[in-house]
Amino acid sequence: MSAPQRPGTADEARERAEQLRELIAHHSERYYVVDDPEISDADFDALVDELAALESAFPELVTPDSPTQHVGGGPAAAFAEVRHRSPMMSLDKTTSYEELLAWGARMERYVSGPVELTCEPKIDGLATSLLYERGRLVRAATRGDGVVGEGVTANVATVGEIPERIPAPFPEVVEVRGEIYMAISAFEALNSRQAELGARRFINPRNAAAGSLRQKDPAVTATRELGFFAYQVGEMDGGPAFERHTETLEWLRHSGFPVNPHIRVVGTLEEVHQYCKRWEADRHGLDYEIDGVVVKVDDLAQRRQLGTTSRAPRWAIAYKFPPEERTTLLRDIMVSIGRTGKATPFAILEPVVVGGARVGMATLHNADQVEAKDVRPGDTVVVRRAGDVIPEVRAPVLGLRPEGLPKWRFPGACPVCGEPLVRLEGESDTFCVNADCPGQRVQRIAHFASRGAMDIEHLGERTVGQFVRAGLLGDVADVYRLDLDAVREMEGWGDTSVANLAAAIEASKSRPLANLLVGLSIRHLGTTGAQVLARAFGHLDRILAASAEEMAAVEGVGPVIAASVQEFFALDTNREVIERLRAAGVNLEGPAEDGMPQVLLGRSVVVTGTLQQRTREQAEAAITARGGKSPGSVSKRTTAVVVGADPGAAKLAKAAELGVPLLDEDAFAVLLDTGRLPGAEPG
Ligand code: IVH
């Protein structure tokens, strides 16, 4: 195949794109026309994928005749050529409010008076034309070069969301245009199936939708869960006369076509901008990918006044979001050791701006992921960064892989301590199990000092690393007996910085129990679990004394966390750390959340019957706000039963059997205020 190279600059990319188009044209002909392919389907797909990746990294390279713009790589035996009755035009693009204003100003030259605009999510799929005659779907075609596309009727007929018939009264002939796409959930499910079959994974939902639509066998397309959004009516003979685009959309909806529910009509470009900003921020809340917003003039008479240029209408514009996928060079794959010893492979990348940020590293999750994606140092890879999600390496661009590039192997030894890495049967993660591994130690102490835990300013990962290497820190309790004189002598430290660090360490001693629990790096115990535990038990000593069953009984804890916490505190070394933390004066007590005294911590109060002063929900909320639980049945762990009018007989009987006190509303009020039961001693 072609000599691989990595297109770093726009010029290199252009050259490579041209080369790819030639290659694709050649192989399309071999496959579709001569029926004697020279390369595998996967290799062919890789060429198209690479071109698509290049075009997404350098959008200016997209041309109407690019094979990425016509599904199937070329019209031939598999897909008959279809000439569109009217061209399927593309859209002018903008990426800023200024350009949007310039578009508005240009429009004003053609139309006067107010202009209403529809704003529509720009679905990242494939533009498709559906022709209905006498209400029946007779032909479906891809956009192709806009003038000629490929007939994909049999494949499109398998798409459940596309009606095969339009209900009467239908126009004699009508062409419906819209976007075929693959939902993100369907894409992920498809990729897991592909991985199980050892088949090629798709890079993104658009690529998967295209691959699914270009199947020679419609039965394969039928398994692919494609979706459709209609956004336009092309030619129409007979049928309603629309005056507005929104009327068209309404008709489409009534005729059984899915129309995007987020389409809005606005009156100003400022509102358009608001809409664009909203969807740029919320795009990941959708189960399909959108790459921008399409803005269209709603009034069809105004559209006619505006007309079109040679390639695009003047009455519409696409506002494009910054791309979330780019290709770049994978320089190396390294493994980092986390605080639990977990070994996580990550990619060192030639830095690239993607999703609005410069990305030089990206996670590869675990050994299986690297294996499934088969990315190798030296590959050109597709990098994705979507929203706040950590950047990820999606796939290699196989067409650009240098010959003989060796497969990457997960290291057998911990890169920090050199001890063997262990992967347990049935688990996806690999671990360094050496408890003395300095890599783990640094991570554990840095995590202890991090914001969600003990929040010790000036004690970040780098500083912790410096102290661990100098032998000043071995575990988290050492933080409170840090030899400050030794620190003062270290490079980069002076009186002021040491004093600041000392103050930060001192301040951390009064963090709530939940923060301390988070800081201890107990497996499976996250922030929420730590908060629930802290609230339920109120003091570390009560957690130390609790059995796994008692912890698991707390709502929101569960057996996995409970067992892990129990195991953690069963270890002498961990107990010893706790004792040193205690001796150092670190707070071990629970929170008073929301300022509400936690007088019912760890206690369980059942409510039955109708109360006068509160609804049942309010009563239960009052109990949980004070740290208690309010289950629906009485057990031996129940502290008291609050009894209103028409109480449940079973609950009363159970309470009597177990000797659980019954409270009226006044006694309940006292319990909520003080945590005391009637007759109990204060305190
Ligand atoms: S209208 C002449 N509306 O974006 C107007 N296009 O370059 C034709 N697209 O190829 C397009 N969502 O595949 C329109 N709501 C939407 C769209 C949409 C996605 C795609 C379409 C077209 C490309 C524009």
Side-chain angles (χ1 to χ4, degrees):
M1 259 213 294
S2 60
Q5 48 186 282
R6 197 188 53 75
T9 69
D11 277 349
E12 281 167 352
R14 182 177 309 280
E15 205 171 295
R16 178 70 186 154
E18 278 166 17
Q19 210 178 18
L20 282 167
R21 287 192 187 122
E22 273 173 35
L23 277 168
I24 291 167
H26 169 76
H27 291 299
S28 288
E29 175 154 328
R30 301 289 312 177
Y31 182 88
Y32 292 113
V33 185
V34 190
D35 203 17
D36 183 17
E38 290 170 350
I39 56 173
S40 70
D41 281 11
D43 283 343
F44 177 81
D45 289 344
L47 292 175
V48 180
D49 288 351
E50 182 192 347
L51 182 59
L54 266 182
E55 288 177 346
S56 87
F58 300 93
E60 66 276 14
L61 293 181
V62 183
T63 60
D65 65 345
S66 170
T68 59
Q69 304 295 301
H70 39 149
V71 181
F79 304 112
E81 242 179 56
V82 166
R83 185 162 289 271
H84 297 297
R85 294 179 154 216
S86 63
M88 291 183 77
M89 299 195 112
S90 60
L91 293 174
D92 284 334
K93 297 178 182 62
T94 111
T95 51
S96 69
Y97 186 45
E98 288 65 39
E99 287 170 12
L100 209 54
L101 289 176
W103 172 71
R106 265 199 316 278
M107 263 201 316
E108 277 175 11
R109 286 198 245 130
Y110 296 84
V111 280
S112 49
V115 178
E116 300 223 300
L117 300 163
T118 60
C119 298
E120 313 183 357
K122 188 172 183 302
I123 316 297
D124 201 3
L126 306 138
T128 308
S129 150
L130 310 171
L131 190 69
Y132 290 82
E133 285 175 5
R134 300 199 46 73
R136 284 185 80 117
L137 175 66
V138 294
R139 196 194 72 190
T142 65
R143 177 171 176 272
D145 62 8
V147 178
V148 176
E150 294 87 11
V152 284
T153 316
N155 289 347
V156 165
T158 70
V159 179
E161 289 197 348
I162 295 181
E164 286 196 64
R165 284 172 177 276
I166 306 178
F170 39 70
E172 244 338 88
V173 178
V174 61
E175 186 205 357
V176 173
R177 292 179 178 177
E179 198 82 353
I180 288 187
Y181 66 93
M182 188 177 284
I184 297 168
S185 51
F187 159 74
E188 283 167 358
L190 172 62
N191 260 357
S192 337
R193 286 202 304 275
Q194 294 286 101
E196 275 166 27
L197 296 170
R200 191 178 67 95
R201 293 157 52 95
F202 294 96
I203 294 180
N204 54 36
R206 184 183 189 284
N207 172 261
S212 302
L213 204 56
R214 64 190 287 215
Q215 292 293 326
K216 277 188 292 182
D217 180 1
V220 177
T221 311
T223 65
R224 291 292 173 81
E225 266 190 276
L226 294 169
F228 181 72
F229 280 122
Y231 53 64
Q232 206 178 8
V233 167
E235 296 284 290
M236 182 158 76
D237 302 338
F242 304 120
E243 290 183 1
R244 297 192 154 263
H245 174 55
T246 36
E247 292 171 12
T248 316
L249 295 177
E250 203 43 51
W251 179 82
L252 283 167
R253 200 176 287 129
H254 269 105
S255 303
F257 294 93
V259 172
N260 192 281
H262 304 296
I263 297 178
R264 295 284 177 274
V265 183
V266 302
T268 64
L269 289 172
E270 173 52 35
E271 288 169 280
V272 170
H273 192 225
Q274 292 303 330
Y275 182 95
C276 294
K277 279 199 297 196
R278 187 222 149 164
W279 282 107
E280 187 167 335
D282 290 351
R283 60 197 291 195
H284 300 296
L286 299 169
D287 191 29
Y288 44 86
E289 293 202 333
I290 62 174
D291 59 348
V293 168
V294 183
V295 188
K296 300 171 182 171
V297 171
D298 192 32
D299 184 319
L300 302 185
Q302 283 179 334
R303 284 195 184 181
R304 285 189 287 275
Q305 280 174 291
L306 281 157
T308 66
T309 67
S310 64
R311 44 160 265 128
R314 284 195 198 89
W315 46 259
I317 193 147
Y319 180 96
K320 296 269 282 179
F321 300 149
E324 295 188 318
E325 279 178 19
R326 298 289 301 272
T327 55
T328 190
L329 175 71
L330 174 62
R331 284 190 181 148
D332 204 356
I333 298 176
M334 294 177 53
V335 167
S336 72
I337 299 297
R339 62 200 159 93
T340 58
K342 188 161 109 184
T344 305
F346 65 100
I348 308 283
L349 304 162
E350 181 86 38
V352 59
V353 175
V354 49
R358 197 178 150 86
V359 172
M361 283 194 273
T363 181
L364 284 161
H365 302 291
N366 57 41
D368 288 343
Q369 289 272 321
V370 187
E371 177 73 27
K373 292 175 179 170
D374 185 20
V375 283
R376 311 176 183 189
D379 264 334
T380 296
V381 292
V382 177
V383 177
R384 179 176 169 83
R385 180 181 175 277
D388 295 333
V389 182
I390 35 177
E392 167 196 42
V393 173
R394 276 241 155 146
V397 180
L398 292 176
L400 284 185
R401 173 169 288 170
E403 218 164 299
L405 197 65
K407 215 174 151 105
W408 185 78
R409 302 245 165 257
F410 208 93
C414 169
V416 184
C417 70
E419 293 293 316
L421 290 177
V422 176
R423 182 175 171 182
L424 294 181
E425 192 79 25
E427 286 214 10
S428 52
D429 292 321
T430 308
F431 285 90
C432 167
V433 290
N434 170 17
D436 291 332
C437 171
Q440 288 181 49
R441 234 183 240 168
V442 170
Q443 294 300 327
R444 270 201 298 272
I445 300 170
H447 172 78
F448 180 80
S450 71
R451 192 159 302 155
M454 299 301 267
D455 194 8
I456 308 176
E457 231 187 307
H458 316 294
L459 197 57
E461 187 178 323
R462 194 169 332 158
T463 306
V464 172
Q466 196 185 14
F467 293 172
V468 168
R469 279 190 302 278
L472 297 179
L473 291 179
D475 60 35
V476 300
D478 289 344
V479 168
Y480 297 101
R481 57 163 195 210
L482 182 63
D483 184 345
L484 296 170
D485 292 330
V487 173
R488 204 172 285 112
E489 301 304 313
M490 292 175 77
E491 206 182 307
W493 290 90
D495 286 342
T496 317
S497 50
V498 169
N500 287 341
L501 176 63
I505 292 174
E506 192 56 34
S508 75
K509 289 181 181 173
S510 57
R511 303 278 177 255
L513 173 59
N515 294 53
L516 175 62
L517 287 173
V518 168
L520 292 174
S521 292
I522 303 172
R523 222 179 151 196
H524 303 300
L525 187 70
T527 309
T528 316
Q531 276 166 352
V532 172
L533 270 185
R535 210 166 42 202
F537 290 90
H539 196 287
L540 186 61
D541 285 338
R542 284 201 277 278
I543 298 178
L544 295 182
S547 67
E549 291 71 34
E550 281 167 327
M551 283 189 266
V554 176
E555 183 124 350
V557 176
V560 176
I561 295 179
S564 174
V565 173
Q566 225 257 331
E567 246 169 60
F568 182 89
F569 289 122
L571 279 182
D572 286 347
T573 45
N574 292 333
R575 286 275 180 160
E576 191 235 329
V577 166
I578 300 300
E579 288 320 310
R580 279 161 49 221
L581 289 170
R582 187 198 306 273
V586 171
N587 169 52
L588 307 179
E589 254 183 291
E593 239 196 12
D594 305 332
M596 181 73 77
Q598 299 292 289
V599 292
L600 296 180
L601 261 179
R603 297 210 269 171
S604 160
V605 180
V606 174
V607 183
T608 176
T610 313
L611 305 183
Q612 299 290 307
Q613 293 150 26
R614 299 179 166 82
T615 64
R616 174 78 67 83
E617 287 72 30
Q618 286 168 337
E620 289 172 0
I623 294 163
T624 47
R626 288 160 179 78
K629 279 198 304 176
S630 185
S633 60
V634 179
S635 75
K636 65 176 189 304
R637 271 197 288 273
T638 307
T639 308
V641 177
V642 180
V643 185
D646 292 329
K651 286 185 188 140
L652 291 187
K654 190 85 184 169
E657 181 194 326
L658 298 169
V660 176
L662 304 180
L663 307 185
D664 62 12
E665 282 208 65
D666 290 341
F668 179 42
V670 173
L671 178 72
L672 290 177
D673 278 349
T674 64
R676 284 201 305 275
L677 292 167
E681 288 296 306

